[in-house]
Amino acid sequence: MTDLGGINTLGRLAAVARRYIPGVLFLASLLVLVMLVPDARIGETASVPGSGTGVAGAGNPGATSDPGATPGATPSGATGAAGAGPGGTAQGGSAGATGAAAGNVTASGTRCGPGVRQFTFTPYSPMCVPKFTGNNGGSTAHGVTANSITLTWRQTSDFDGAASAVGASSGAAGVHDSQVFINYLNTQYELYGRKVTLTSFNGSGSYLAEVGGRDQSGANADAQMAYDLGAFAEAPLGAPSVYASALSSRHVASFTLPDSLPNLNANYPYQYEYLSPALEHVASAAADVVCQRMANMKAIHAGDAALSAMTRSFGLVTPTQQTTGPDLLISRAKQKCGVTIQKFQYDINPAQYAPEAATIAASMNNAHITTVILLTDIIFSPIMTSAASSDSYHPEWLDISPMTNHSSRQMSADEVSHMVFMPAWHAENFPPSQDNCYQIYLKASGGAAPQSNLTTIDLLCAPLLEFFGALQNAGPNLTPATFGQGWFNQPPSAGTGMFGSWAYGAGAYCGCSTFNFEWWNASASDPYDSTAGSPVPCREPLDLPYLNPSLGSGQLQCF
């Protein structure tokens, strides 16, 4: 265990796990040390096919050019990609591959037509593609045969120990439940004669060390093992940048903890986002929230009467290891509404989190910052709120960090009661029976309950839906390049669902294109375990686009 200046890390994480993080992946969502670690390439580089027009409007059909978006290379296949063409005919087949759609009915029995989806059990379905017959081209890429597409699942040396310490499901439970999903999804998506197979292995690296940007040698060894096991891709679990880069160098695709567009573009077509948009999209949305709904208004949500009577002044808490997202937020707010946001930084070193948070809290208190914006990791956020409370500093908070609304139960009660979150997913204020991925699991398992917690099921299921959608869109000639084309050309979701609205396009390394406002209601009943306290929606519209949202005016209506 690592001591955080008197705060036991794993003890705190065990408390976090009571509601939100009991899943296998959750070292991914649990330790979202938010793309905070720079890309650690290991010599080889993944080529970026061509250059493009930048990321403006990514994930936002019809959005206008975004002056705050960070320019980046658009993968050359991001338009006109292989996928379902008019009438549902599979396009983009491999040179030399022959085959045809068998009639106009999918493998699962859906009759295709204009605007028809592959299936209706989730709004995140791709467009309908009739059942393919014929020659799919065979072994079109590493990890691909005429019959299979190999996913590997790495369990690091500290995986089960860390999972047990936080009360999370074991790796075995996660592999089991993922296999149940995969077996079912193989029958629902058009994979052109292939099936996805899952191969788990015990790695020699340390997930926790990699999250902190260390243990490159262990990551390299594990990436080589995944390659040797025939991986086309690593299972979508939220790979730290260190491991994702090692996989990219071996031309194996992966799904990373939240990252920046420059890193993602540099590693195309081998890296995609795990359940979060790129940092630049999050930062762009936060700047618009500041300018449209907070700037030049009283800090009415602060917990201190003196601060609540003041016109807002803003401070941003973020790691020193991340620059592009925070700097974009600061520059965009200055450009759009003349607001100055002061930056307060900490280093990603959990052993120093408590003293670092105390120093930041004292500095912001002395500077009379009324409104604190958090772009931090899931461990630092609760420690930061405790430090503020200990310093008798009670500002209002805007937490824009991916997934940190999941640690709201562990935050200081004095502070979280004055905090607004901006997650991509809807607040899960509904019973488990209405959970879309739980319903899919019951279909897949024939009614048997999962081995993992329900939140784990969501975190396993959602990225698998994206992965399978891109496979279908790639066509029979499956290669990393056609997979990337298939990813960016997936259709928008059929409306919205519990994961918000999904949309793709250049720069959309995650389909999650919208965000919501939530606040922590200590009196609400948790829908999963009936304990007191749960994130609930603010009195604001749902599914607001990350890029160029029209948010109205006036104070945010929460609490």
Side-chain angles (χ1 to χ4, degrees), residues 25 75 97 169 174 183 188 259 304 392 420 460 472 514-515 539:
L25 310 152
S169 303
N183 289 345
Q188 301 300 304
D259 209 337
D304 179 271
S392 298
V420 174
L460 291 168
Q472 175 168 309
T514 59
F515 69 93
R539 298 182 300 280

Short mmCIF file of all heavy atoms in Angstrom, two decimals, residues 25 75 97 169 174 183 188 259 304 392 420 460 472 514-515 539:
data_model
loop_
_atom_site.label_atom_id
_atom_site.label_comp_id
_atom_site.label_asym_id
_atom_site.label_seq_id
_atom_site.Cartn_x
_atom_site.Cartn_y
_atom_site.Cartn_z
N LEU A 25 -12.52 -3.83 -15.11
CA LEU A 25 -11.88 -2.81 -15.86
C LEU A 25 -11.38 -1.71 -15.00
O LEU A 25 -10.69 -0.85 -15.46
CB LEU A 25 -12.87 -2.06 -16.69
CG LEU A 25 -13.79 -2.80 -17.51
CD1 LEU A 25 -15.02 -2.02 -17.69
CD2 LEU A 25 -13.09 -3.01 -18.76
N PRO A 75 -7.06 11.01 -39.76
CA PRO A 75 -6.72 9.81 -40.51
C PRO A 75 -7.35 9.83 -41.90
O PRO A 75 -8.51 10.18 -42.06
CB PRO A 75 -7.29 8.69 -39.63
CG PRO A 75 -7.28 9.27 -38.26
CD PRO A 75 -7.58 10.72 -38.44
N ALA A 97 -10.80 -10.51 -52.35
CA ALA A 97 -11.85 -11.19 -51.59
C ALA A 97 -13.13 -11.15 -52.39
O ALA A 97 -13.46 -10.15 -53.01
CB ALA A 97 -12.04 -10.50 -50.25
N SER A 169 -14.37 -6.83 -8.73
CA SER A 169 -14.41 -8.17 -9.28
C SER A 169 -13.03 -8.61 -9.71
O SER A 169 -12.17 -7.79 -10.05
CB SER A 169 -15.35 -8.20 -10.49
OG SER A 169 -16.64 -7.76 -10.15
N GLY A 174 -14.29 -10.77 -14.87
CA GLY A 174 -14.37 -9.89 -16.03
C GLY A 174 -14.21 -10.62 -17.34
O GLY A 174 -14.92 -10.36 -18.31
N ASN A 183 -19.64 -13.74 -27.12
CA ASN A 183 -20.34 -14.85 -27.77
C ASN A 183 -21.65 -14.39 -28.39
O ASN A 183 -22.03 -14.81 -29.49
CB ASN A 183 -20.61 -15.97 -26.77
CG ASN A 183 -19.34 -16.70 -26.35
OD1 ASN A 183 -18.30 -16.58 -27.00
ND2 ASN A 183 -19.43 -17.45 -25.27
N GLN A 188 -24.76 -11.20 -33.58
CA GLN A 188 -25.60 -10.06 -33.89
C GLN A 188 -24.99 -9.12 -34.92
O GLN A 188 -25.71 -8.51 -35.72
CB GLN A 188 -25.90 -9.26 -32.60
CG GLN A 188 -26.60 -10.07 -31.52
CD GLN A 188 -27.94 -10.61 -31.98
OE1 GLN A 188 -28.80 -9.84 -32.41
NE2 GLN A 188 -28.12 -11.92 -31.89
N ASP A 259 -6.97 10.51 -23.35
CA ASP A 259 -5.71 10.98 -23.90
C ASP A 259 -5.95 12.24 -24.71
O ASP A 259 -7.09 12.68 -24.90
CB ASP A 259 -5.10 9.88 -24.77
CG ASP A 259 -3.58 9.95 -24.82
OD1 ASP A 259 -3.02 11.03 -24.56
OD2 ASP A 259 -2.95 8.91 -25.10
N ASP A 304 -19.16 29.07 1.12
CA ASP A 304 -18.78 30.16 2.01
C ASP A 304 -19.56 31.40 1.61
O ASP A 304 -19.59 31.78 0.44
CB ASP A 304 -17.28 30.41 1.89
CG ASP A 304 -16.81 31.54 2.78
OD1 ASP A 304 -16.82 32.69 2.31
OD2 ASP A 304 -16.43 31.26 3.93
N SER A 392 -10.61 25.25 5.69
CA SER A 392 -11.81 26.09 5.83
C SER A 392 -12.06 26.90 4.55
O SER A 392 -12.44 28.08 4.59
CB SER A 392 -11.67 27.04 7.04
OG SER A 392 -11.55 26.29 8.23
N VAL A 420 -20.58 20.63 -9.29
CA VAL A 420 -21.27 20.21 -10.51
C VAL A 420 -20.31 19.36 -11.32
O VAL A 420 -19.12 19.69 -11.46
CB VAL A 420 -21.73 21.43 -11.35
CG1 VAL A 420 -22.33 20.99 -12.68
CG2 VAL A 420 -22.74 22.25 -10.56
N LEU A 460 -17.82 -2.88 -19.22
CA LEU A 460 -17.39 -3.91 -20.17
C LEU A 460 -18.15 -3.80 -21.48
O LEU A 460 -17.58 -3.95 -22.57
CB LEU A 460 -17.64 -5.31 -19.58
CG LEU A 460 -16.79 -5.75 -18.40
CD1 LEU A 460 -17.38 -7.01 -17.78
CD2 LEU A 460 -15.36 -6.00 -18.83
N GLN A 472 -17.81 -4.33 -37.95
CA GLN A 472 -18.82 -4.48 -39.00
C GLN A 472 -18.61 -3.44 -40.09
O GLN A 472 -18.70 -3.74 -41.29
CB GLN A 472 -20.22 -4.34 -38.41
CG GLN A 472 -21.32 -4.36 -39.47
CD GLN A 472 -22.71 -4.52 -38.89
OE1 GLN A 472 -22.96 -5.42 -38.12
NE2 GLN A 472 -23.63 -3.63 -39.28
N THR A 514 -21.49 13.71 -26.32
CA THR A 514 -22.31 14.63 -25.53
C THR A 514 -22.01 14.50 -24.05
O THR A 514 -21.49 13.48 -23.59
CB THR A 514 -23.81 14.37 -25.76
OG1 THR A 514 -24.12 13.01 -25.39
CG2 THR A 514 -24.20 14.60 -27.22
N PHE A 515 -22.36 15.53 -23.29
CA PHE A 515 -22.17 15.51 -21.85
C PHE A 515 -23.45 15.95 -21.16
O PHE A 515 -24.40 16.45 -21.79
CB PHE A 515 -21.00 16.41 -21.44
CG PHE A 515 -21.24 17.89 -21.61
CD1 PHE A 515 -21.72 18.67 -20.57
CD2 PHE A 515 -20.97 18.51 -22.83
CE1 PHE A 515 -21.95 20.03 -20.73
CE2 PHE A 515 -21.19 19.87 -23.00
CZ PHE A 515 -21.69 20.64 -21.95
N ARG A 539 -31.12 20.40 -13.39
CA ARG A 539 -32.32 20.81 -14.13
C ARG A 539 -31.89 21.51 -15.42
O ARG A 539 -32.14 22.70 -15.64
CB ARG A 539 -33.19 21.72 -13.26
CG ARG A 539 -33.70 21.01 -11.99
CD ARG A 539 -34.60 21.89 -11.15
NE ARG A 539 -33.95 23.09 -10.68
CZ ARG A 539 -33.12 23.14 -9.64
NH1 ARG A 539 -32.85 22.03 -8.95
NH2 ARG A 539 -32.57 24.27 -9.26
#
